[in-house]
Amino acid sequence: MNKHIVILPGDGIGPEVVAQGLKVLEAAGRRFGASFSTESALMGGAAIDACGDPLPEATVAACKKADAVLLGAVGGPKWDNAPRRPEAGLLGIRKELGLFANLRPATVHPELASLSALRPEAVERGVDILVVRELTGDVYFGEPFGEDVRGGVRHAYNNMIYNENEVRRIARVAFAAARTRGKKLCSVDKANVLVVSRLWRSVVEEAHKEFPDVALSHMYVDNCAMQLIINPAQFDVIVTGNIFGDILSDEAAAVAGSLGMLPSASLSGTAGDGGVGLYEPVHGSAPDIAGQDKANPMATILSVAMMLRLSFGMHDAALAVESAVRDTLRDGWRTGDIAGAGGRAVGCERMGQLITDRLLQSR
Ligand code: NAD
């Protein structure tokens, strides 16, 4: 198998963590008989500096031809007052690639349970949640929206709207993901109040017929927010709309602990249907530690595992990368952000090497 990957290192710690992600990707290819060709392209502040545009045409063209895209992070104080901000590149590439599904796992590693915002009893059974969020619709993009004055009183409004095709495609991504995990999908809505949610719920139930081996449940968003705190271990995969997912995925991240541990994927379809996937750590460019070899590369390395699984169907390789991360934690190695949980302190590059070594050794 030969796959072509476009690398968007970006700004701040982006290039540092991406370098470690690539090291692991190459090792996974060596061990599992796949070869990966890579090409670096400009995005964010680095692209503004080079050509005045956070998302150059050449970058879009390269990403559209790629099998997958690996992104570091963009932004930083240097460009805070730029006429076009680096983050515009991020929004632009999501739009250009038609990425409608955002997948964010929130895992509590037993070794890092003390970093979770929750009580030890709530996480001691282990937490492994995947939040699948619809990314291109809902109240964030619905029309009409605007402001007006009615009877002398200022009004403002947005429009929560989904069509059945948008719901069906995100439901399929979530069911397909659940099939590769614990085979449980919880669809989150507000169907007791919102007519949009009633359509959402009925389309998710229709899509369920294509995935009878996955157990489907429904939960109101307010209850889900509470259940994530009280009993997060009950969840396998959660699927929800854009605004509910925005909030719940951040809440699930706090359950998991450090930003440096959280990977993500954004997809334009399910594996094998020709869609492209963009993989990136959840964290930003961390200007406060950039260039100091202090960044935790695990979020990026776990994003590489998601790429292997979701874009290339390399499940064994994905599991091996995730095991290598776990083994490294179990052996006590820690970057500064997770040092609160004890262990031996290392920098970004050494952490990447330790994980690569374990990946190649654990045959
Ligand atoms: P941030 O995620 O960059 O940093 C928040 C805190 O977490 C910082 O103290 C940082 O040192 C720490 N941190 C983050 N990632 C880490 C890692 N891998 N290892 C160790 N520590 C880590 O968020 P911020 O400070 O609010 O934003 C900084 C810049 O990043 C801003 O310009 C923002 O717009 C941008 N940003 C980009 C993305 C993206 O590219 N997807 C996401 C969020 C923020």
Side-chain angles (χ1 to χ4, degrees), residues 176-240:
R179 197 170 246 178
T180 67
R181 300 168 38 102
K183 295 192 167 51
K184 268 169 51 181
L185 177 65
C186 178
S187 172
V188 173
D189 61 35
K190 189 71 182 166
N192 51 342
V193 177
L194 298 171
V195 64
V196 182
S197 286
R198 292 202 274 278
L199 175 73
W200 176 280
R201 196 176 274 220
S202 77
V203 176
V204 170
E205 280 178 0
E206 283 162 27
H208 187 205
K209 296 192 182 106
E210 300 167 39
F211 302 85
D213 52 321
V214 175
L216 172 67
S217 61
H218 301 278
M219 194 178 276
Y220 296 139
V221 61
D222 41 348
N223 186 28
C224 183
M226 201 167 65
Q227 293 299 326
L228 276 170
I229 304 292
I230 298 171
N231 181 15
Q234 71 184 285
F235 295 107
D236 177 23
V237 179
I238 290 173
V239 64
T240 191

Short mmCIF file of all heavy atoms in Angstrom, two decimals, residues 176-240:
data_model
loop_
_atom_site.label_atom_id
_atom_site.label_comp_id
_atom_site.label_asym_id
_atom_site.label_seq_id
_atom_site.Cartn_x
_atom_site.Cartn_y
_atom_site.Cartn_z
N ALA A 176 -20.51 3.65 11.72
CA ALA A 176 -19.34 2.92 11.22
C ALA A 176 -18.22 2.94 12.26
O ALA A 176 -17.53 1.94 12.46
CB ALA A 176 -18.86 3.54 9.90
N ALA A 177 -18.06 4.08 12.95
CA ALA A 177 -17.02 4.17 13.98
C ALA A 177 -17.37 3.25 15.15
O ALA A 177 -16.51 2.54 15.68
CB ALA A 177 -16.87 5.61 14.45
N ALA A 178 -18.65 3.23 15.55
CA ALA A 178 -19.07 2.40 16.68
C ALA A 178 -18.83 0.93 16.37
O ALA A 178 -18.46 0.14 17.25
CB ALA A 178 -20.55 2.64 16.99
N ARG A 179 -18.99 0.56 15.13
CA ARG A 179 -18.80 -0.82 14.69
C ARG A 179 -17.36 -1.29 14.94
O ARG A 179 -17.14 -2.46 15.19
CB ARG A 179 -19.12 -0.87 13.20
CG ARG A 179 -19.35 -2.21 12.66
CD ARG A 179 -19.90 -2.11 11.25
NE ARG A 179 -21.25 -2.59 11.17
CZ ARG A 179 -21.98 -2.59 10.05
NH1 ARG A 179 -21.47 -2.10 8.95
NH2 ARG A 179 -23.19 -3.06 10.06
N THR A 180 -16.40 -0.35 14.87
CA THR A 180 -14.99 -0.74 15.08
C THR A 180 -14.60 -0.64 16.55
O THR A 180 -13.45 -0.86 16.90
CB THR A 180 -14.03 0.16 14.28
OG1 THR A 180 -14.09 1.50 14.83
CG2 THR A 180 -14.38 0.21 12.81
N ARG A 181 -15.57 -0.27 17.43
CA ARG A 181 -15.24 -0.08 18.85
C ARG A 181 -16.18 -0.93 19.70
O ARG A 181 -16.30 -2.12 19.48
CB ARG A 181 -15.36 1.40 19.23
CG ARG A 181 -14.45 2.32 18.47
CD ARG A 181 -14.83 3.76 18.68
NE ARG A 181 -15.25 4.04 20.03
CZ ARG A 181 -14.50 4.63 20.97
NH1 ARG A 181 -13.30 5.05 20.64
NH2 ARG A 181 -14.96 4.84 22.18
N GLY A 182 -16.90 -0.28 20.63
CA GLY A 182 -17.76 -1.02 21.57
C GLY A 182 -19.16 -1.30 21.05
O GLY A 182 -20.00 -1.80 21.78
N LYS A 183 -19.44 -0.91 19.79
CA LYS A 183 -20.75 -1.19 19.14
C LYS A 183 -21.93 -0.57 19.88
O LYS A 183 -23.02 -1.14 19.94
CB LYS A 183 -20.95 -2.71 18.98
CG LYS A 183 -19.96 -3.35 18.04
CD LYS A 183 -20.38 -4.77 17.69
CE LYS A 183 -19.61 -5.34 16.52
NZ LYS A 183 -18.16 -5.24 16.61
N LYS A 184 -21.69 0.61 20.48
CA LYS A 184 -22.78 1.33 21.16
C LYS A 184 -22.78 2.77 20.67
O LYS A 184 -21.74 3.44 20.73
CB LYS A 184 -22.52 1.35 22.68
CG LYS A 184 -23.17 0.18 23.42
CD LYS A 184 -22.68 0.09 24.85
CE LYS A 184 -22.75 1.38 25.64
NZ LYS A 184 -22.24 1.25 27.02
N LEU A 185 -23.92 3.25 20.19
CA LEU A 185 -24.00 4.64 19.74
C LEU A 185 -25.10 5.35 20.52
O LEU A 185 -26.23 4.87 20.59
CB LEU A 185 -24.30 4.70 18.24
CG LEU A 185 -24.47 6.12 17.67
CD1 LEU A 185 -23.17 6.90 17.78
CD2 LEU A 185 -24.91 6.07 16.21
N CYS A 186 -24.77 6.51 21.08
CA CYS A 186 -25.75 7.34 21.77
C CYS A 186 -25.94 8.62 20.94
O CYS A 186 -24.98 9.38 20.76
CB CYS A 186 -25.25 7.68 23.18
SG CYS A 186 -26.40 8.74 24.07
N SER A 187 -27.14 8.84 20.43
CA SER A 187 -27.43 10.05 19.66
C SER A 187 -27.99 11.10 20.60
O SER A 187 -28.94 10.83 21.34
CB SER A 187 -28.42 9.70 18.54
OG SER A 187 -28.83 10.89 17.91
N VAL A 188 -27.39 12.28 20.56
CA VAL A 188 -27.75 13.33 21.52
C VAL A 188 -28.51 14.45 20.82
O VAL A 188 -28.05 14.97 19.78
CB VAL A 188 -26.48 13.86 22.21
CG1 VAL A 188 -26.80 15.06 23.09
CG2 VAL A 188 -25.84 12.75 23.04
N ASP A 189 -29.65 14.81 21.37
CA ASP A 189 -30.48 15.85 20.75
C ASP A 189 -31.30 16.57 21.83
O ASP A 189 -31.05 16.40 23.02
CB ASP A 189 -31.39 15.23 19.67
CG ASP A 189 -32.35 14.18 20.25
OD1 ASP A 189 -32.82 14.36 21.40
OD2 ASP A 189 -32.62 13.19 19.56
N LYS A 190 -32.27 17.34 21.38
CA LYS A 190 -33.18 18.01 22.32
C LYS A 190 -34.60 17.85 21.74
O LYS A 190 -35.31 18.83 21.49
CB LYS A 190 -32.75 19.49 22.44
CG LYS A 190 -33.45 20.28 23.52
CD LYS A 190 -33.05 19.90 24.92
CE LYS A 190 -33.85 20.70 25.93
NZ LYS A 190 -33.76 20.17 27.29
N ALA A 191 -34.93 16.56 21.47
CA ALA A 191 -36.16 16.27 20.74
C ALA A 191 -37.43 16.58 21.53
O ALA A 191 -38.51 16.63 20.96
CB ALA A 191 -36.16 14.80 20.30
N ASN A 192 -37.29 16.80 22.84
CA ASN A 192 -38.47 17.17 23.63
C ASN A 192 -38.88 18.63 23.38
O ASN A 192 -39.99 19.03 23.69
CB ASN A 192 -38.23 16.93 25.13
CG ASN A 192 -36.93 17.56 25.62
OD1 ASN A 192 -36.06 17.89 24.82
ND2 ASN A 192 -36.79 17.73 26.92
N VAL A 193 -37.97 19.41 22.77
CA VAL A 193 -38.28 20.83 22.54
C VAL A 193 -38.13 21.21 21.07
O VAL A 193 -38.95 21.96 20.53
CB VAL A 193 -37.32 21.72 23.38
CG1 VAL A 193 -37.58 23.20 23.10
CG2 VAL A 193 -37.46 21.43 24.87
N LEU A 194 -37.10 20.70 20.40
CA LEU A 194 -36.74 21.21 19.07
C LEU A 194 -37.26 20.32 17.95
O LEU A 194 -36.97 19.11 17.92
CB LEU A 194 -35.21 21.32 18.95
CG LEU A 194 -34.52 22.27 19.93
CD1 LEU A 194 -33.00 22.10 19.84
CD2 LEU A 194 -34.90 23.72 19.62
N VAL A 195 -37.93 20.92 17.01
CA VAL A 195 -38.43 20.18 15.86
C VAL A 195 -37.26 19.66 15.01
O VAL A 195 -37.31 18.57 14.43
CB VAL A 195 -39.44 21.05 15.06
CG1 VAL A 195 -38.78 22.27 14.48
CG2 VAL A 195 -40.11 20.26 13.98
N VAL A 196 -36.15 20.39 14.97
CA VAL A 196 -34.94 19.94 14.26
C VAL A 196 -34.47 18.61 14.85
O VAL A 196 -34.09 17.68 14.13
CB VAL A 196 -33.79 20.97 14.39
CG1 VAL A 196 -32.57 20.52 13.61
CG2 VAL A 196 -34.22 22.33 13.94
N SER A 197 -34.51 18.51 16.17
CA SER A 197 -34.06 17.29 16.83
C SER A 197 -34.98 16.12 16.54
O SER A 197 -34.53 14.97 16.53
CB SER A 197 -33.99 17.51 18.35
OG SER A 197 -32.89 18.32 18.68
N ARG A 198 -36.26 16.41 16.30
CA ARG A 198 -37.17 15.30 16.00
C ARG A 198 -36.84 14.70 14.63
O ARG A 198 -36.86 13.49 14.44
CB ARG A 198 -38.62 15.74 16.12
CG ARG A 198 -38.97 16.04 17.60
CD ARG A 198 -40.45 15.98 17.88
NE ARG A 198 -41.13 17.24 17.61
CZ ARG A 198 -41.18 18.29 18.45
NH1 ARG A 198 -40.58 18.23 19.63
NH2 ARG A 198 -41.81 19.39 18.12
N LEU A 199 -36.47 15.57 13.67
CA LEU A 199 -36.01 15.05 12.38
C LEU A 199 -34.71 14.27 12.58
O LEU A 199 -34.54 13.16 12.07
CB LEU A 199 -35.77 16.19 11.38
CG LEU A 199 -35.18 15.73 10.04
CD1 LEU A 199 -36.21 15.00 9.19
CD2 LEU A 199 -34.60 16.91 9.24
N TRP A 200 -33.79 14.87 13.33
CA TRP A 200 -32.49 14.23 13.62
C TRP A 200 -32.71 12.81 14.14
O TRP A 200 -32.14 11.84 13.65
CB TRP A 200 -31.74 15.09 14.65
CG TRP A 200 -30.44 14.50 15.10
CD1 TRP A 200 -30.26 13.52 16.03
CD2 TRP A 200 -29.12 14.85 14.63
NE1 TRP A 200 -28.93 13.24 16.18
CE2 TRP A 200 -28.21 14.04 15.34
CE3 TRP A 200 -28.64 15.76 13.70
CZ2 TRP A 200 -26.83 14.12 15.13
CZ3 TRP A 200 -27.27 15.84 13.50
CH2 TRP A 200 -26.37 15.03 14.21
N ARG A 201 -33.59 12.69 15.13
CA ARG A 201 -33.79 11.40 15.79
C ARG A 201 -34.37 10.37 14.82
O ARG A 201 -33.94 9.22 14.78
CB ARG A 201 -34.72 11.59 17.00
CG ARG A 201 -34.69 10.44 17.95
CD ARG A 201 -35.54 10.71 19.18
NE ARG A 201 -34.80 11.42 20.22
CZ ARG A 201 -34.91 11.16 21.52
NH1 ARG A 201 -35.74 10.22 21.94
NH2 ARG A 201 -34.23 11.85 22.41
N SER A 202 -35.35 10.80 14.01
CA SER A 202 -35.97 9.82 13.12
C SER A 202 -35.01 9.38 12.01
O SER A 202 -34.98 8.22 11.62
CB SER A 202 -37.31 10.34 12.56
OG SER A 202 -37.06 11.27 11.56
N VAL A 203 -34.15 10.29 11.52
CA VAL A 203 -33.19 9.90 10.48
C VAL A 203 -32.11 8.98 11.06
O VAL A 203 -31.69 8.01 10.41
CB VAL A 203 -32.57 11.15 9.79
CG1 VAL A 203 -31.52 10.74 8.77
CG2 VAL A 203 -33.65 11.98 9.12
N VAL A 204 -31.68 9.26 12.29
CA VAL A 204 -30.69 8.38 12.94
C VAL A 204 -31.29 6.97 13.08
O VAL A 204 -30.61 5.96 12.84
CB VAL A 204 -30.25 8.95 14.31
CG1 VAL A 204 -29.42 7.94 15.09
CG2 VAL A 204 -29.44 10.24 14.12
N GLU A 205 -32.58 6.90 13.41
CA GLU A 205 -33.22 5.58 13.54
C GLU A 205 -33.29 4.87 12.18
O GLU A 205 -33.07 3.66 12.11
CB GLU A 205 -34.59 5.72 14.19
CG GLU A 205 -34.40 5.84 15.69
CD GLU A 205 -35.67 6.04 16.49
OE1 GLU A 205 -36.75 6.09 15.89
OE2 GLU A 205 -35.54 6.15 17.72
N GLU A 206 -33.55 5.62 11.13
CA GLU A 206 -33.55 5.01 9.79
C GLU A 206 -32.16 4.46 9.45
O GLU A 206 -32.02 3.34 8.97
CB GLU A 206 -33.92 6.05 8.72
CG GLU A 206 -35.41 6.39 8.66
CD GLU A 206 -35.65 7.72 7.91
OE1 GLU A 206 -34.81 8.09 7.04
OE2 GLU A 206 -36.64 8.36 8.23
N ALA A 207 -31.12 5.27 9.74
CA ALA A 207 -29.74 4.84 9.43
C ALA A 207 -29.35 3.61 10.24
O ALA A 207 -28.55 2.77 9.80
CB ALA A 207 -28.76 5.99 9.70
N HIS A 208 -29.95 3.47 11.41
CA HIS A 208 -29.65 2.33 12.28
C HIS A 208 -29.93 1.00 11.57
O HIS A 208 -29.26 0.01 11.81
CB HIS A 208 -30.50 2.45 13.56
CG HIS A 208 -30.17 1.43 14.60
ND1 HIS A 208 -31.06 1.02 15.56
CD2 HIS A 208 -29.04 0.71 14.83
CE1 HIS A 208 -30.51 0.11 16.33
NE2 HIS A 208 -29.27 -0.09 15.91
N LYS A 209 -30.92 1.01 10.67
CA LYS A 209 -31.27 -0.24 9.96
C LYS A 209 -30.09 -0.77 9.15
O LYS A 209 -29.99 -1.97 8.90
CB LYS A 209 -32.47 0.02 9.03
CG LYS A 209 -33.72 0.39 9.80
CD LYS A 209 -34.96 0.36 8.92
CE LYS A 209 -36.19 0.80 9.71
NZ LYS A 209 -36.64 2.14 9.37
N GLU A 210 -29.16 0.13 8.74
CA GLU A 210 -27.98 -0.32 7.99
C GLU A 210 -26.90 -0.88 8.92
O GLU A 210 -25.93 -1.47 8.47
CB GLU A 210 -27.35 0.85 7.22
CG GLU A 210 -28.27 1.50 6.20
CD GLU A 210 -27.71 2.83 5.72
OE1 GLU A 210 -26.48 2.96 5.52
OE2 GLU A 210 -28.51 3.79 5.58
N PHE A 211 -27.07 -0.64 10.23
CA PHE A 211 -26.05 -1.06 11.20
C PHE A 211 -26.72 -1.79 12.37
O PHE A 211 -26.63 -1.34 13.52
CB PHE A 211 -25.27 0.16 11.73
CG PHE A 211 -24.58 0.95 10.67
CD1 PHE A 211 -25.25 1.95 9.96
CD2 PHE A 211 -23.24 0.70 10.35
CE1 PHE A 211 -24.61 2.69 8.98
CE2 PHE A 211 -22.59 1.45 9.36
CZ PHE A 211 -23.28 2.44 8.67
N PRO A 212 -27.42 -2.91 12.11
CA PRO A 212 -28.19 -3.56 13.17
C PRO A 212 -27.32 -4.12 14.30
O PRO A 212 -27.82 -4.37 15.39
CB PRO A 212 -28.93 -4.69 12.44
CG PRO A 212 -28.16 -4.90 11.17
CD PRO A 212 -27.52 -3.60 10.82
N ASP A 213 -26.02 -4.31 14.02
CA ASP A 213 -25.11 -4.85 15.05
C ASP A 213 -24.69 -3.79 16.06
O ASP A 213 -24.03 -4.11 17.05
CB ASP A 213 -23.87 -5.45 14.38
CG ASP A 213 -23.21 -4.48 13.41
OD1 ASP A 213 -23.94 -3.74 12.69
OD2 ASP A 213 -21.97 -4.43 13.38
N VAL A 214 -25.04 -2.53 15.83
CA VAL A 214 -24.69 -1.46 16.78
C VAL A 214 -25.93 -1.12 17.61
O VAL A 214 -27.02 -0.93 17.07
CB VAL A 214 -24.20 -0.19 16.03
CG1 VAL A 214 -23.94 0.96 16.99
CG2 VAL A 214 -22.96 -0.50 15.20
N ALA A 215 -25.76 -1.06 18.94
CA ALA A 215 -26.89 -0.71 19.83
C ALA A 215 -27.05 0.81 19.84
O ALA A 215 -26.09 1.54 20.11
CB ALA A 215 -26.63 -1.24 21.24
N LEU A 216 -28.26 1.28 19.53
CA LEU A 216 -28.52 2.72 19.47
C LEU A 216 -29.35 3.17 20.67
O LEU A 216 -30.33 2.52 21.03
CB LEU A 216 -29.29 3.06 18.18
CG LEU A 216 -29.81 4.50 18.05
CD1 LEU A 216 -28.66 5.49 17.94
CD2 LEU A 216 -30.74 4.63 16.84
N SER A 217 -28.96 4.29 21.27
CA SER A 217 -29.79 4.91 22.31
C SER A 217 -29.87 6.41 22.01
O SER A 217 -29.09 6.93 21.20
CB SER A 217 -29.19 4.67 23.70
OG SER A 217 -27.91 5.26 23.76
N HIS A 218 -30.82 7.08 22.63
CA HIS A 218 -30.97 8.52 22.47
C HIS A 218 -30.88 9.18 23.84
O HIS A 218 -31.32 8.60 24.83
CB HIS A 218 -32.32 8.88 21.84
CG HIS A 218 -32.54 8.25 20.50
ND1 HIS A 218 -32.04 8.79 19.34
CD2 HIS A 218 -33.19 7.12 20.13
CE1 HIS A 218 -32.38 8.02 18.32
NE2 HIS A 218 -33.08 7.00 18.77
N MET A 219 -30.35 10.40 23.86
CA MET A 219 -30.26 11.11 25.14
C MET A 219 -30.44 12.60 24.87
O MET A 219 -29.93 13.12 23.87
CB MET A 219 -28.88 10.84 25.77
CG MET A 219 -28.78 11.24 27.22
SD MET A 219 -27.14 10.84 27.91
CE MET A 219 -27.34 9.14 28.36
N TYR A 220 -31.15 13.28 25.76
CA TYR A 220 -31.27 14.73 25.62
C TYR A 220 -29.93 15.37 26.01
O TYR A 220 -29.23 14.89 26.90
CB TYR A 220 -32.38 15.27 26.53
CG TYR A 220 -33.76 14.78 26.16
CD1 TYR A 220 -34.67 14.39 27.13
CD2 TYR A 220 -34.15 14.70 24.82
CE1 TYR A 220 -35.93 13.94 26.79
CE2 TYR A 220 -35.41 14.24 24.47
CZ TYR A 220 -36.29 13.85 25.46
OH TYR A 220 -37.54 13.39 25.11
N VAL A 221 -29.63 16.48 25.37
CA VAL A 221 -28.30 17.08 25.53
C VAL A 221 -28.04 17.52 26.97
O VAL A 221 -26.91 17.40 27.47
CB VAL A 221 -28.09 18.24 24.52
CG1 VAL A 221 -29.09 19.36 24.72
CG2 VAL A 221 -26.68 18.77 24.58
N ASP A 222 -29.08 18.01 27.66
CA ASP A 222 -28.86 18.45 29.04
C ASP A 222 -28.50 17.26 29.93
O ASP A 222 -27.60 17.34 30.77
CB ASP A 222 -30.07 19.23 29.58
CG ASP A 222 -31.39 18.61 29.19
OD1 ASP A 222 -31.42 17.72 28.32
OD2 ASP A 222 -32.42 19.02 29.75
N ASN A 223 -29.18 16.12 29.70
CA ASN A 223 -28.86 14.93 30.48
C ASN A 223 -27.47 14.43 30.12
O ASN A 223 -26.69 14.03 31.00
CB ASN A 223 -29.92 13.84 30.20
CG ASN A 223 -29.72 12.64 31.09
OD1 ASN A 223 -29.20 12.75 32.20
ND2 ASN A 223 -30.12 11.47 30.61
N CYS A 224 -27.10 14.50 28.84
CA CYS A 224 -25.78 14.02 28.41
C CYS A 224 -24.67 14.83 29.10
O CYS A 224 -23.67 14.27 29.55
CB CYS A 224 -25.66 14.11 26.90
SG CYS A 224 -24.10 13.47 26.29
N ALA A 225 -24.87 16.14 29.18
CA ALA A 225 -23.87 17.00 29.83
C ALA A 225 -23.65 16.53 31.28
O ALA A 225 -22.52 16.53 31.78
CB ALA A 225 -24.33 18.45 29.80
N MET A 226 -24.75 16.12 31.91
CA MET A 226 -24.68 15.67 33.30
C MET A 226 -24.07 14.27 33.39
O MET A 226 -23.19 14.01 34.22
CB MET A 226 -26.10 15.66 33.86
CG MET A 226 -26.20 15.70 35.35
SD MET A 226 -27.90 16.09 35.83
CE MET A 226 -28.79 14.69 35.22
N GLN A 227 -24.50 13.37 32.50
CA GLN A 227 -24.01 11.99 32.54
C GLN A 227 -22.51 11.90 32.25
O GLN A 227 -21.82 11.02 32.77
CB GLN A 227 -24.77 11.12 31.52
CG GLN A 227 -26.24 10.90 31.85
CD GLN A 227 -26.44 10.19 33.18
OE1 GLN A 227 -25.66 9.33 33.57
NE2 GLN A 227 -27.49 10.56 33.90
N LEU A 228 -21.97 12.83 31.45
CA LEU A 228 -20.53 12.83 31.17
C LEU A 228 -19.73 13.06 32.45
O LEU A 228 -18.59 12.61 32.57
CB LEU A 228 -20.18 13.91 30.13
CG LEU A 228 -20.35 13.54 28.66
CD1 LEU A 228 -20.20 14.77 27.78
CD2 LEU A 228 -19.35 12.46 28.25
N ILE A 229 -20.34 13.79 33.38
CA ILE A 229 -19.66 14.05 34.65
C ILE A 229 -19.91 12.93 35.65
O ILE A 229 -19.00 12.48 36.34
CB ILE A 229 -20.20 15.38 35.28
CG1 ILE A 229 -20.05 16.54 34.30
CG2 ILE A 229 -19.53 15.68 36.61
CD1 ILE A 229 -18.64 16.95 34.00
N ILE A 230 -21.17 12.45 35.70
CA ILE A 230 -21.54 11.47 36.73
C ILE A 230 -21.00 10.08 36.39
O ILE A 230 -20.44 9.40 37.23
CB ILE A 230 -23.08 11.38 36.85
CG1 ILE A 230 -23.65 12.72 37.30
CG2 ILE A 230 -23.49 10.29 37.83
CD1 ILE A 230 -25.16 12.77 37.24
N ASN A 231 -21.16 9.68 35.13
CA ASN A 231 -20.81 8.30 34.76
C ASN A 231 -20.31 8.25 33.31
O ASN A 231 -20.97 7.68 32.43
CB ASN A 231 -22.05 7.40 34.95
CG ASN A 231 -21.75 5.96 34.60
OD1 ASN A 231 -20.59 5.56 34.49
ND2 ASN A 231 -22.80 5.17 34.41
N PRO A 232 -19.12 8.81 33.04
CA PRO A 232 -18.64 8.85 31.65
C PRO A 232 -18.37 7.47 31.07
O PRO A 232 -18.39 7.30 29.85
CB PRO A 232 -17.34 9.67 31.76
CG PRO A 232 -16.93 9.59 33.19
CD PRO A 232 -18.18 9.44 33.99
N ALA A 233 -18.15 6.47 31.94
CA ALA A 233 -17.80 5.14 31.44
C ALA A 233 -18.95 4.48 30.70
O ALA A 233 -18.75 3.49 29.99
CB ALA A 233 -17.35 4.26 32.61
N GLN A 234 -20.18 5.02 30.82
CA GLN A 234 -21.32 4.39 30.13
C GLN A 234 -21.27 4.62 28.62
O GLN A 234 -21.96 3.93 27.87
CB GLN A 234 -22.63 4.96 30.67
CG GLN A 234 -22.89 6.41 30.26
CD GLN A 234 -24.14 7.01 30.86
OE1 GLN A 234 -25.24 6.71 30.46
NE2 GLN A 234 -23.95 7.86 31.86
N PHE A 235 -20.47 5.61 28.15
CA PHE A 235 -20.52 5.97 26.73
C PHE A 235 -19.46 5.24 25.91
O PHE A 235 -18.34 5.04 26.37
CB PHE A 235 -20.31 7.48 26.56
CG PHE A 235 -21.41 8.33 27.15
CD1 PHE A 235 -21.20 9.05 28.32
CD2 PHE A 235 -22.65 8.39 26.55
CE1 PHE A 235 -22.20 9.82 28.87
CE2 PHE A 235 -23.66 9.16 27.09
CZ PHE A 235 -23.44 9.88 28.26
N ASP A 236 -19.84 4.90 24.68
CA ASP A 236 -18.87 4.43 23.68
C ASP A 236 -18.75 5.54 22.63
O ASP A 236 -17.86 6.38 22.71
CB ASP A 236 -19.35 3.10 23.09
CG ASP A 236 -18.43 2.57 22.00
OD1 ASP A 236 -17.25 2.96 22.00
OD2 ASP A 236 -18.88 1.78 21.16
N VAL A 237 -19.69 5.60 21.68
CA VAL A 237 -19.67 6.68 20.68
C VAL A 237 -20.89 7.57 20.91
O VAL A 237 -22.00 7.08 21.15
CB VAL A 237 -19.70 6.11 19.24
CG1 VAL A 237 -19.69 7.25 18.22
CG2 VAL A 237 -18.49 5.20 19.01
N ILE A 238 -20.68 8.87 20.85
CA ILE A 238 -21.75 9.86 20.93
C ILE A 238 -21.83 10.57 19.58
O ILE A 238 -20.79 10.98 19.05
CB ILE A 238 -21.45 10.91 22.03
CG1 ILE A 238 -21.55 10.28 23.42
CG2 ILE A 238 -22.38 12.12 21.92
CD1 ILE A 238 -21.11 11.20 24.56
N VAL A 239 -23.02 10.71 19.01
CA VAL A 239 -23.15 11.50 17.77
C VAL A 239 -24.12 12.64 18.04
O VAL A 239 -25.15 12.46 18.69
CB VAL A 239 -23.64 10.65 16.57
CG1 VAL A 239 -25.03 10.08 16.77
CG2 VAL A 239 -23.57 11.47 15.28
N THR A 240 -23.77 13.83 17.55
CA THR A 240 -24.63 14.98 17.81
C THR A 240 -24.37 16.09 16.79
O THR A 240 -23.42 16.03 16.00
CB THR A 240 -24.46 15.45 19.28
OG1 THR A 240 -25.47 16.40 19.59
CG2 THR A 240 -23.09 16.05 19.51
#
